[in-house]
Structures are given as C-alpha cells and as structure tokens.
C-alpha cells in the first residue's frame, strides 16, 4: 500500500487512526500490529513470513542475550546477526552475487549454469532488518531491556508508518514509546489537537514533495536515464540535478508522511533529513541525509571498526568500508557500490587535502568572509553529491558510463533541450523546472515550520501556507503509476 | 474537540476558496490566449477534435449491426463506410488511447442490446499499461453525456481527472476549440488525433480562447 494511494488516504489512515483512539489503551498495540500486517501484506502477502522469521529470531535472541553473560551472550548476538543478514543476503544479494560470478566465470571461458532466483525483493527488507538488528545489539550492549511481550516487539519491527522505508528506529526511542503506559501493556497517548494538526501538516508537506515535485521530476529524469545515448550534456546535467531533487523529495516526502502519521497517534519518530543540500561538505551532508541510516552505520559499524581513533590509513579504510557497505545496502548492483565508493572517496580526499584547502582558502581571502566561503562550499558539495547520483540512478554500469561520457564530451547545445522538450508530455519540462525553482525557495521555510524551529503565524495566516499546499497538489500533482524510490531497498 | 472541527472546517473553506480562485484564473488566462489549465498536466486536452464530433453524431437510439470501440487503432482502423458498401450499419466509438475502463463506461452509457447486437472491442496492449489519463482527458471533455464523463473522471482516481471534470462543469457552454479535418463520419478518422502525434501541431496553430455559444 502506497502512502500516495487512494486506499491509504481514504480508507487505511482514517480507519486505523480512528480505531487507535477509540479502543482502550491496553489494546492499541493490537490495532497497530493488525494495521501494520494489513499494510505490509498489501504488497506480497506471503512475505509476512519473512518478517515473522526476523521478529521470532530477534525476540528470542533478545531475551536469551539478556539472561546470559560472557561468551554465550556474544554467541547469541552473532547468531541473531547471522540469521538476519542471511535473510537479507538470500533475498537481496543472491541474484547479484550469482550474476557477478556468472560474468566472471563466463569471462574465463567456462560454463556457468546456476539460475537466478525468480522472486520479487520483499519490500523494505533492508529497513526492518536493520531496525530489528539494532534491538539485539542494544540489548547486547545493555542499553536496552529485552522486550518480553511478543506483540509489542513485533509492533516495534513492523510499525506501519516506518515499516517499508524508515526512519530506521532504535528501541530506545520507538520501543519505549510503544511501552509507555501506566495501565499494564498499552500505549498512552491522547487525542491532542495541536499534535494531530502538526502531524497532518507534516503529512501534507510530505505529499506535496512526493506528488508535485518528485513524481514530476521523475518523468523528465526517466526520459533521459532510460535513453542515455539519445541526449547531450545539457539534458543529462539537467536530468541529474532534477534527480537530486527527485530523490530528496521522494524520500524525505515519504519520511514526512511517516513521521506525520506517527505524530498524529502520539509517536515521535526520529528526524531523517535536515535540508541536506545546504551542507558545506560531504561529512555534513551525511549528518543531514538519511540520518537514521548514517547513524546506524556510525554506531554499529564505523565505531566498532575503530572509527577515527586509529592510525590514519585505518581511518580511511573504515570510511571506505562503511560507504561501500552503505552503497550495497541501497541496492544489489555495482552502480550502488560505486555510488557508495564515491562518497567514501570524497570523505577520504577531504581529509587528505584539508590542509591544502585551508591554505587555498586563506590565499583567496575567504577566511574573513565566512558566508561566501560557506556558499562556495555548499555549491561544491552539491556538485559532488549530484555527480554521484548518476551512478545511483543509472540503470546499469554501462548506462552510467555512457551518461558520464556524454556529460563531459558532447557540446553544450540548446537544441538538446529543445529535443527533450519535444520528447516529453506537453509543458512537462517548463512546469517541472518552475516548480523545482519554487520548491528550492519554500523548502527551508516549510521544513522549519514542520520541525517547529520557526513559529507559524496564528489563525488563518497559519493555515494559508498549508491550504496552498493542498491547492498545489490538486492542480500540479502528478498521479502516475509511481512508487517510492526507497521501497526497493 | 469542537475547536478542532471548527479549525478543520475553516481550513477546508480556505482551501476550497483558494482552489476555486486558482482554477478560475488558470482556466481563463495563459500565454498566447491558451488557458494555463491545459498546460499544467499531461495530456490535458481541450474540448474538440474527432471525439467532439463522433459522440455528437452517434445516436444511441439508432440501431446498428455492430459498434466498434477501442483506441485510435480502432477509430482509424475500421471505416464503417467500407462496411456500409456491403450492407452493414456500423459506428466507430473508438477514441484516443481509450482505456478499458473508459470502454466500460462507454458501453454502459451508450450501448444496449437494441442498438448494438454485436460489439467489436479492439484491444491494444498499450492502453492496459498507461494511466488512462489521456483517454479520460479526451472523453471527459468531449462526451455529451454528463454522467458518463463524471463517472470516467471519478473512476480514474486521479486529481487531474477531477480538474478536467471541474472545467467541463464550470464552462458548460464552451464549444469545441478545434476540429479534426480528417474526420470522415460514423466515428472514423483517417489520421491521428493524438496529442503525441500530428494534432499536436494542429493544436498549436489554433488560437485558444473561451468560446461560448
């Protein structure tokens, strides 16, 4: 079930929210668990068994880890990690590995006949696997008590707003909120007018980003990325910048809907985005983009590897490992590995050249002009991030190569853009570019309002910006057959 | 709780007012006399062309030997005049990218056992893959039957379809903006009337405006 579908908006969300507030507190977990099963089973019903396996393994592992000490405790954690990663590896990486081996073996002139698995990737598999893993790791670290109520634990893994595309929650936040009750097992939250309105506002902003910006950008981006050899540098550059906006609006739009839906019911999920394209370097970008994933990798991979408290070469190695794994987490394809590798390389190069850049900045006299310096750094960071998106979006390594090659080798020509305009539905290009320009202006403002970092005007003046979003959706929304990009991960 | 309802009503009223205002402006003004409403979404198709003529020529009370429905492949592929030479009375109710859903509503509102003992449903796989917006934008504007147009727009589950139907009902007296010179009668047109094809040029040469009877 998609957040931007009629079923979710007109049936699922109103029904579940109403039921949630109507039933006694002690049964709310059941309403949410049932709703989460319904939500997940709307995709491929039988895949609920995969979730059941993950939940079952980690529920038992959590309790056993808590009861044991020493080596056995570590062994149980290892078993939980192996079980979770095996499921992920089987469903997500088997075909990738098999194809990679086939290419290598056939390249050496041998026959290779192991067939691919003819299955659809379970939706949101990487998200709920990581969320469940964070629980057993936190119990192992004694930061979290094991959950003894199976239903509550299942709800922690399956909570529908963030089940298929995050934010990847931690038990310290979500599990404790589910458990907060004074009357036995139940969720203690009341129908608070301000909170409900704030949640609905956040959902609305998410919908706007998804259907007005992301899905429109997708039409232009798909046109070029599905025929990479048909267009020149100007079109490719435009499409890549639009993809940067598309993926931001698609993913942060989903997150806003998830956070808003949870907020209506009294849950506070973690913030996943903080206007990432305003980052002045790649490190800052990763502290503003998909925060729940980057903090997951920081806490459970980067720091255990030694983080930056090691010799320099090892630090660079740690960074590269984290970003290569992050690339692979996103998708089982070499394009994602290159994308992750590029980000890792950016960070390593930034460390290596930091003294040189500091001298260069001094020579240009930028140190005395911090705002100009930041603006320049933001500009450079956006270019680097956008370039890396080429590999993220390209349909294959060959396509990515073609796009990069044509981006830098074909002459800049307005005829190229005219061709693109002709190939797209009427006025799609002009209106998309206009809407994206408008979005760039309003995004920081709405983001600050949604997060409560800037006060909204009171009364009708406070309603006006959100009424305008509804009108924007009604008039400019794109309602094709569109899913959320991050669902596939 | 009462205050929440009051705020909700106020918000809905404000949104409705803004939407109506924006809609009025967009459906009346635009560059070169082209109302912006036609430009802001894919396949927004102004009233007119062969669909406008076809569904007005068709009389649901007239008995035919067969009715043809389907996409442009149908209305450009089956010429009832050829069948008439062999003594068959036929009418072609095909339309641009006609989706199976819209074919269903056409059958529901325009056909019965008396006027169509035989139905030829030309199936083109492309119409199963698309969103149906191109077809609905054409039919919601051009069908003389209000109920059929309304049902099609609603069934699309796409706000662009609802904008189109709003346009139809806010400008009930607007006539056809353009005509298809290749329309031969009995629903048959010898040339593409798709926005993706030749009529795109045909449309741009027309001066748009709010024409009323």
């Amino acid at each position: 079930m998609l957040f931007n579908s009629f079923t979710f908006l007109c049936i699922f969300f109103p029904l579940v929210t109403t039921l949630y507030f109507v039933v006694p507190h002690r049964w709310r977990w059941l309403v949410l668990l049932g709703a989460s099963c319904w939500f997940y089973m709307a995709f491929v019903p039988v895949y609920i068994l995969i979730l059941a396996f993950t939940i079952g393994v980690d529920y038992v592992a959590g309790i056993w880890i808590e009861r044991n000490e020493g080596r056995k405790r570590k062994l149980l954690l290892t078993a939980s990690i192996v079980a979770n990663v095996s499921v992920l590896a089987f469903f997500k990486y088997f075909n990738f590995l098999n194809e990679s081996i086939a290419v290598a073996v056939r390249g050496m002139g041998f026959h290779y006949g192991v067939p691919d698995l003819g299955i659809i990737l379970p939706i949101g598999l990487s998200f709920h696997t990581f969320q469940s893993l964070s629980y057993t790791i936190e119990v192992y670290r004694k930061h979290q008590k094991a959950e003894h109520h199976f239903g509550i634990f299942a709800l922690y893994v399956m909570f529908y707003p963030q089940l298929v595309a995050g934010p990847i929650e931690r038990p310290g936040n979500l599990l404790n909120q589910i458990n907060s009750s004074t009357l036995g097992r139940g969720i203690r939250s009341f129908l608070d007018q301000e909170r409900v309105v704030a949640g609905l506002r956040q959902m609305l902003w998410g919908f706007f980003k998804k259907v007005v910006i992301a899905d429109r950008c997708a039409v232009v981006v798909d046109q070029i990325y599905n025929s990479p050899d048909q267009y020149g540098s100007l079109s490719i550059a435009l499409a890549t910048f639009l993809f940067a906006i598309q993926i931001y609006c698609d993913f942060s739009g989903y997150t806003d809907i998830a956070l808003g839906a949870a907020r209506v019911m009294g849950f506070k999920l973690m913030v996943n985005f903080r206007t990432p394209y305003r980052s002045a370097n790649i490190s800052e970008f990763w502290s503003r983009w998909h925060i729940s994933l980057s903090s997951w990798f920081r806490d459970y991979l980067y720091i255990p590897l030694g983080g930056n408290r090691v010799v320099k070469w090892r630090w660079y190695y740690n960074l590269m490992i984290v970003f290569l794994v992050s690339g692979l987490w996103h998708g089982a394809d070499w394009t994602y590995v290159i994308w992750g590798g590029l980000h890792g390389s950016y960070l390593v190069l930034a460390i290596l050249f930091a003294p040189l850049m500091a001298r260069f900045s001094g020579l240009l006299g930028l140190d005395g002009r911090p705002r100009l310096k930041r603006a320049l750094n933001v500009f450079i960071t956006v270019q680097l991030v956008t370039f890396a998106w080429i590999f993220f979006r390209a349909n294959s390594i060959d396509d990515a190569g073609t796009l990069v090659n044509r981006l830098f080798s074909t002459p800049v020509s307005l005829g190229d853009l005219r061709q693109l305009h002709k190939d797209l539905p009427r006025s799609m290009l002009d209106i998309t570019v206009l809407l994206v320009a408008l979005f760039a202006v309003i995004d920081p403002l709405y983001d600050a309002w949604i997060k409560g970092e800037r006060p909204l005007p009171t009364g009708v003046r406070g309603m006006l910006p959100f009424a305008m979003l509804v009108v924007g959706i009604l008039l400019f929304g794109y309602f094709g057959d569109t899913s959320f990009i991050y669902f596939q991960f | 709780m009462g205050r929440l309802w009051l705020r909700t009503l106020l918000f809905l009223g404000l949104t409705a007012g803004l939407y109506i205002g924006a809609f009025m402006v967009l459906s009346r003004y635009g560059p070169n006399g082209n109302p912006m409403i036609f430009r802001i979404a894919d396949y927004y198709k102004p009233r007119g062309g062969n669909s406008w003529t076809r569904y007005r020529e068709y009389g649901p009370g007239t008995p035919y030997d067969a009715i043809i429905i389907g996409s442009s492949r149908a209305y450009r592929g089956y010429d009832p005049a050829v069948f008439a030479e062999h003594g068959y009375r036929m009418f072609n109710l095909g339309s641009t990218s006609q989706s199976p859903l819209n074919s269903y509503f056409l059958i529901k509102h325009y056909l019965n056992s008396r006027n169509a003992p035989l139905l030829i449903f030309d199936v083109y796989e492309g119409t199963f893959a698309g969103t149906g917006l191109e077809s609905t934008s054409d039919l919601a504007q051009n069908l003389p039957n209000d109920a059929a147009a309304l049902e099609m727009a609603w069934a699309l589950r796409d706000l662009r379809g609802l904008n189109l139907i709003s346009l139809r009902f806010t400008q009930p007296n607007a006539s056809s903006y353009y005509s298809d010179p290749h329309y031969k009668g009995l629903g048959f047109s010898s040339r593409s009337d798709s926005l993706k094809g030749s009529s795109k040029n045909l449309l741009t040469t027309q001066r748009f405006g709010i024409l009323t009877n």
Side-chain angles (χ1 to χ4, degrees):
Chain A
M1 192 185 307
L2 297 174
F3 278 165
N4 53 337
S5 68
F6 181 82
T7 318
F8 178 80
L9 285 172
C10 299
I11 302 168
F12 184 90
F13 180 69
L15 185 68
V16 171
T17 310
T18 308
L19 262 179
Y20 175 79
F21 283 115
V22 166
V23 301
H25 286 174
R26 65 177 181 279
W27 296 116
R28 283 183 174 174
W29 67 270
L30 198 58
V31 170
L32 287 182
L33 186 60
S36 301
C37 289
W38 175 17
F39 186 83
Y40 190 78
M41 289 172 79
F43 297 104
V44 181
V46 75
Y47 281 171
I48 193 91
L49 296 175
I50 301 168
L51 259 175
F53 174 77
T54 304
I55 292 165
V57 164
D58 289 337
Y59 171 73
V60 174
I63 293 170
W64 284 0
I65 288 170
E66 192 180 51
R67 283 180 188 163
N68 288 282
E69 286 298 334
R71 215 167 142 249
K72 202 169 176 191
R73 193 179 170 87
K74 198 168 190 172
L75 210 67
L76 285 163
L77 174 68
T78 311
S80 158
I81 294 173
V82 168
N84 280 289
V85 173
S86 300
V87 171
L88 195 59
F90 179 76
F91 284 99
K92 189 163 178 173
Y93 300 108
F94 180 86
N95 286 351
F96 169 61
L97 202 65
N98 193 38
E99 281 163 21
S100 300
I101 293 170
V103 169
V105 171
R106 284 177 196 141
M108 288 186 280
F110 295 105
H111 170 72
Y112 186 83
V114 180
D116 279 350
L117 296 174
I119 52 165
I120 305 166
L121 179 68
I123 202 154
L125 182 65
S126 306
F127 285 94
H128 49 74
T129 302
F130 270 39
Q131 181 154 321
S132 197
L133 271 177
S134 73
Y135 164 77
T136 47
I137 297 171
E138 290 298 302
V139 173
Y140 174 79
R141 290 177 175 178
K142 299 186 177 173
H143 296 161
Q144 176 70 35
K145 282 185 175 177
E147 176 55 59
H148 289 257
H149 189 299
F150 184 76
I152 296 280
F153 178 69
L155 180 57
Y156 161 71
V157 180
M158 292 190 69
F159 187 48
Y160 89 81
Q162 43 83 247
L163 172 61
V164 291
I168 302 166
E169 276 295 338
R170 307 296 179 83
N173 184 35
L174 182 59
L175 191 54
N176 290 353
Q177 286 185 64
I178 296 171
N179 264 326
S180 65
S181 169
T182 50
L183 294 168
R185 290 286 178 188
I187 301 155
R188 190 179 168 215
S189 68
F190 298 92
L191 187 71
D192 175 280
Q193 192 195 128
E194 288 308 317
R195 196 192 63 222
V196 169
V197 170
L200 293 174
R201 273 192 203 125
Q202 189 159 11
M203 289 178 79
L204 184 58
W205 178 229
F207 282 119
F208 179 84
K209 284 196 273 189
K210 170 66 179 162
V211 302
V212 177
I213 309 294
D215 290 348
R216 276 192 172 274
C217 288
V219 179
V220 182
V221 173
D222 290 352
Q223 178 69 33
I224 290 157
Y225 273 74
N226 291 340
S227 315
D229 51 352
Q230 303 293 310
Y231 296 97
S233 54
L234 215 50
S235 291
I236 294 170
L238 176 68
T240 308
F241 275 108
L242 288 180
F243 180 68
I245 300 294
Q246 180 200 342
I247 194 161
Y248 170 56
C249 288
D250 191 284
F251 193 20
S252 72
Y254 175 90
T255 304
D256 277 328
I257 299 168
L259 264 68
R263 203 168 170 179
V264 167
M265 296 184 288
F267 292 92
K268 199 169 179 199
L269 301 182
M270 66 188 293
V271 171
N272 220 10
F273 292 90
R274 289 187 189 280
T275 52
Y277 293 129
R278 297 187 144 212
S279 308
N281 55 58
I282 297 295
S283 177
E284 188 186 341
F285 175 80
W286 281 103
S287 67
R288 288 163 166 255
W289 176 277
H290 202 175
I291 299 165
S292 64
L293 179 72
S294 43
S295 61
W296 197 100
F297 276 121
R298 182 197 63 210
D299 294 345
Y300 303 130
L301 184 62
Y302 179 65
I303 291 174
L305 281 171
N308 59 359
R309 293 179 178 180
V310 285
V311 290
K312 278 206 164 173
W313 71 265
R314 177 69 200 206
W315 181 19
Y316 306 149
Y317 171 82
N318 291 347
L319 282 170
M320 286 306 295
I321 287 290
V322 167
F323 278 92
L324 287 172
V325 174
S326 169
L328 210 53
W329 178 91
H330 281 84
D333 203 306
W334 289 108
T335 49
Y336 294 109
V337 178
I338 294 175
W339 171 77
L342 268 174
H343 275 275
S345 310
Y346 289 159
L347 284 169
V348 171
L349 289 172
I351 299 164
L352 284 172
F353 289 102
L356 192 72
M357 293 307 289
R359 279 182 63 187
F360 191 59
S361 165
L363 281 173
L364 290 175
L366 291 172
D367 290 340
R369 305 169 77 181
R371 290 183 73 170
L372 179 65
K373 186 179 175 181
R374 183 164 176 90
L376 270 173
N377 284 335
V378 168
F379 177 77
I380 293 166
T381 306
V382 168
Q383 306 311 309
L384 292 172
V385 170
T386 305
F387 177 75
W389 285 133
I390 293 177
F391 295 89
F392 193 96
R393 172 60 185 82
N395 296 332
S396 65
I397 288 274
D398 287 347
D399 278 10
T402 307
L403 287 158
V404 172
N405 183 31
R406 292 184 71 83
L407 178 66
F408 294 111
S409 66
T410 55
V412 176
S413 150
L414 279 177
D416 183 35
L417 280 185
R418 275 195 286 272
Q419 181 60 41
L420 176 63
H421 187 271
K422 227 173 116 182
D423 294 342
L424 288 166
R426 196 157 49 121
S427 297
M428 178 56 87
L429 188 61
D430 345 344
I431 289 172
T432 303
V433 169
L434 274 174
L435 287 170
V436 165
L438 175 73
F439 172 75
V441 176
I442 64 170
D443 181 41
L445 191 64
Y446 276 91
D447 195 70
W449 278 333
I450 294 297
K451 292 187 177 126
E453 291 160 359
R454 189 189 177 108
L456 255 173
T458 50
V460 175
R461 283 199 307 144
M463 289 180 183
L464 199 61
F466 293 92
M468 284 161 75
L469 289 185
V470 178
V471 175
I473 291 169
L474 290 172
L475 290 170
F476 295 99
Y478 183 83
F479 300 88
D481 183 18
T482 54
S483 182
F484 287 87
I485 296 173
Y486 266 70
F487 273 24
Q488 61 187 301
F489 307 138
Chain B
M1 195 68 181
R3 206 168 146 246
L4 182 63
W5 283 115
L6 195 70
R7 281 174 75 177
T8 307
L9 282 175
L10 193 60
F11 180 75
L12 290 176
L14 184 66
T15 306
L18 276 176
Y19 173 73
I20 292 166
F23 186 84
M24 291 306 211
V25 171
L26 289 170
S27 59
R28 276 169 172 73
Y29 305 104
N32 307 320
N34 300 353
M36 275 300 287
I37 199 81
F38 293 129
R39 297 168 62 96
I40 62 172
D42 300 332
Y43 305 119
Y44 259 53
K45 194 171 180 180
R47 238 169 270 191
N50 56 48
S51 292
W52 173 271
T53 321
R54 176 180 303 114
Y55 296 103
R56 275 160 186 76
E57 183 186 341
Y58 176 75
T62 311
Y64 291 98
D65 294 316
I67 296 288
I68 301 141
I69 57 167
S71 67
S72 56
R73 302 199 177 214
Y75 76 72
R76 279 187 272 133
Y78 302 83
D79 184 356
V82 174
F83 291 92
E85 287 170 14
H86 299 277
Y88 295 104
R89 299 211 315 162
M90 294 173 74
F91 199 95
N92 200 323
L93 285 180
S95 64
T96 304
S97 291
Q98 192 178 101
S99 66
L101 191 66
N102 286 347
S103 299
Y104 164 76
F105 287 114
L106 280 175
I107 293 166
K108 182 180 166 189
H109 287 277
Y110 283 89
L111 306 186
N112 56 54
S113 56
R114 289 184 302 282
N115 66 8
L118 177 68
L119 176 70
I120 299 169
F121 187 3
D122 185 274
V123 179
Y124 169 51
E125 75 275 12
T127 58
F128 287 88
T131 59
L133 180 66
E134 187 176 2
S135 167
T136 304
S137 71
D138 175 30
L139 294 174
Q141 291 290 320
N142 288 315
L143 285 179
N145 184 324
D146 284 344
L150 195 62
E151 282 185 40
M152 282 177 188
W154 177 250
L156 190 65
R157 298 284 187 271
D158 185 323
L159 291 174
R160 287 171 293 183
L162 297 180
N163 283 331
L164 280 167
I165 212 70
S166 307
L167 187 66
R168 178 191 176 104
F169 290 111
T170 53
Q171 296 178 7
N173 297 322
S175 65
S176 165
Y177 285 96
Y178 70 106
S179 59
D180 174 11
H182 305 282
Y183 184 74
K184 304 292 180 196
L186 296 172
F188 178 71
S189 177
S190 61
R191 193 177 153 186
S192 165
D193 189 37
S194 166
L195 280 179
K196 289 179 289 190
S198 57
S199 71
K200 189 172 181 181
N201 301 326
L202 184 142
L203 283 174
T204 51
T205 56
Q206 300 280 329
R207 188 184 183 280
F208 286 78
I210 307 302
L211 307 174
T212 51
N213 288 329

